[in-house]
Amino acid sequence: MAFYKDYAKVLVAVDCIIFGFDEGKLKILIGRRKIDPGRGEWSLYGGFVAANEDVNDAANRVLYELTGLKTLYMRQVGAFGKVDRDPGERVVSVAYYVLINTKDYDDNLRRQYGLEWVSVNAIPMLFSDHNIMVQKALKLMKQKISTEPVAFRLLPPLFTLTQLQRLYETILDTELDKRNFRKRVKEFSYIEKTELIDKTSSKRGAYLYRFNQHHYQEEQTFKL
């Protein structure tokens, strides 16, 4: 028996907003569309959900194809379904934002797919409603970074406090007082100071820190 035969079929897609932090700037991955409609326009990377595929699985598949990375930090931004959002067909897209450490991303894959890292402050006009997706993702990430240590997903395993502060300032779009920021950092046991020193920015160098997931989970359990 055919169910819902009186209703029109709608295509479901996923779009991935991939954030990275590089050269002191928050960036996203975009590329030129290789299909119609919108061929040649700047766009987020995405794909259609297969008939036998969960929506989250489709997003993970697209991400793996694009980056070669698994177990990435991924959160749903929302569903975008304006009737005229895609001139090719009736398409509802579920958008996700993803945080990656750019050093983990194989640059050969980036070139293979013809993608570019672009600063969030210099995003061009994107296909369809992709600019709206990005702005909503930035808003959600700004809210999340104030309550959970998601920023460490964008940093290498070892980082300086200057790098950490710069990342927070970039996402929150505000300048933070250096002394107060470092005082606050010392209150968190899950941000560990190591004996390693980074001397790439000065002869004196700066101590490297790391995020301790185990300590963070212990603190959250204690708070409960």
Side-chain angles (χ1 to χ4, degrees):
M1 182 180 294
F3 298 101
Y4 313 124
K5 57 184 175 60
D6 295 329
Y7 297 91
K9 299 299 186 290
V10 176
L11 295 172
V12 179
V14 292
D15 283 296
C16 298
I17 306 152
I18 302 176
F19 290 105
F21 186 66
D22 188 39
E23 299 176 341
K25 295 180 180 180
L26 184 65
K27 300 180 179 182
I28 65 168
L29 268 181
I30 60 174
R32 298 281 187 179
R33 278 176 66 87
K34 295 179 174 59
I35 60 172
D36 293 318
R39 185 185 297 269
E41 293 182 28
W42 286 109
S43 171
L44 297 173
Y45 193 85
F48 288 102
V49 180
N52 61 345
E53 191 176 39
D54 291 343
V55 176
N56 281 4
D57 290 341
N60 279 309
R61 169 179 55 79
V62 167
L63 285 170
Y64 182 70
E65 291 173 356
L66 183 65
T67 68
L69 302 173
K70 293 183 177 181
T71 64
L72 294 171
Y73 180 89
M74 181 181 77
R75 292 294 183 272
Q76 191 177 118
V77 175
F80 296 78
K82 289 187 67 175
V83 174
D84 59 350
R85 65 173 300 276
D86 192 316
E89 188 58 85
R90 180 77 170 96
V91 180
V92 173
S93 181
V94 181
Y96 294 82
Y97 79 86
V98 185
L99 308 182
I100 71 171
N101 172 15
T102 57
K103 305 303 180 186
D104 291 337
Y105 180 33
D106 186 349
D107 207 49
N108 290 323
L109 276 175
R110 181 189 65 79
R111 290 193 293 268
Q112 176 184 327
Y113 284 95
L115 300 173
E116 299 290 341
W117 283 111
V118 177
S119 169
V120 294
N121 295 322
I123 299 173
M125 182 61 67
L126 303 176
F127 174 74
S128 185
D129 50 9
H130 289 188
N131 287 88
I132 298 174
M133 292 180 181
V134 173
Q135 290 306 311
K136 187 172 181 180
L138 282 168
K139 182 178 180 180
L140 291 173
M141 184 168 58
K142 185 179 293 188
Q143 294 170 349
K144 185 68 72 174
I145 199 176
S146 300
T147 58
E148 296 180 24
V150 298
F152 300 101
R153 301 278 186 164
L154 293 162
L155 292 170
L158 296 173
F159 52 85
T160 65
L161 291 186
T162 298
Q163 286 176 304
L164 183 61
Q165 180 174 342
R166 178 58 180 157
L167 174 58
Y168 271 84
E169 289 177 334
T170 302
I171 295 176
L172 297 174
D173 194 24
T174 187
E175 187 174 344
L176 301 174
D177 180 78
K178 181 177 178 180
R179 181 186 299 177
N180 289 338
F181 179 81
R182 298 194 174 204
K183 180 180 178 181
R184 182 65 173 154
V185 165
K186 290 180 180 179
E187 296 175 0
F188 300 119
S189 66
Y190 52 82
I191 303 179
E192 295 181 336
K193 182 180 179 181
T194 73
E195 297 303 313
L196 301 173
I197 296 178
D198 173 42
K199 293 189 176 182
T200 58
S201 57
S202 67
K203 289 183 179 180
R204 182 181 178 184
Y207 278 103
L208 289 166
Y209 289 72
R210 63 186 168 209
F211 173 66
N212 188 312
Q213 179 70 34
H214 180 67
H215 282 183
Y216 174 71
Q217 291 174 338
E218 282 186 339
E219 285 194 13
Q220 295 305 105
T221 302
F222 178 75
K223 289 178 181 178
L224 292 174

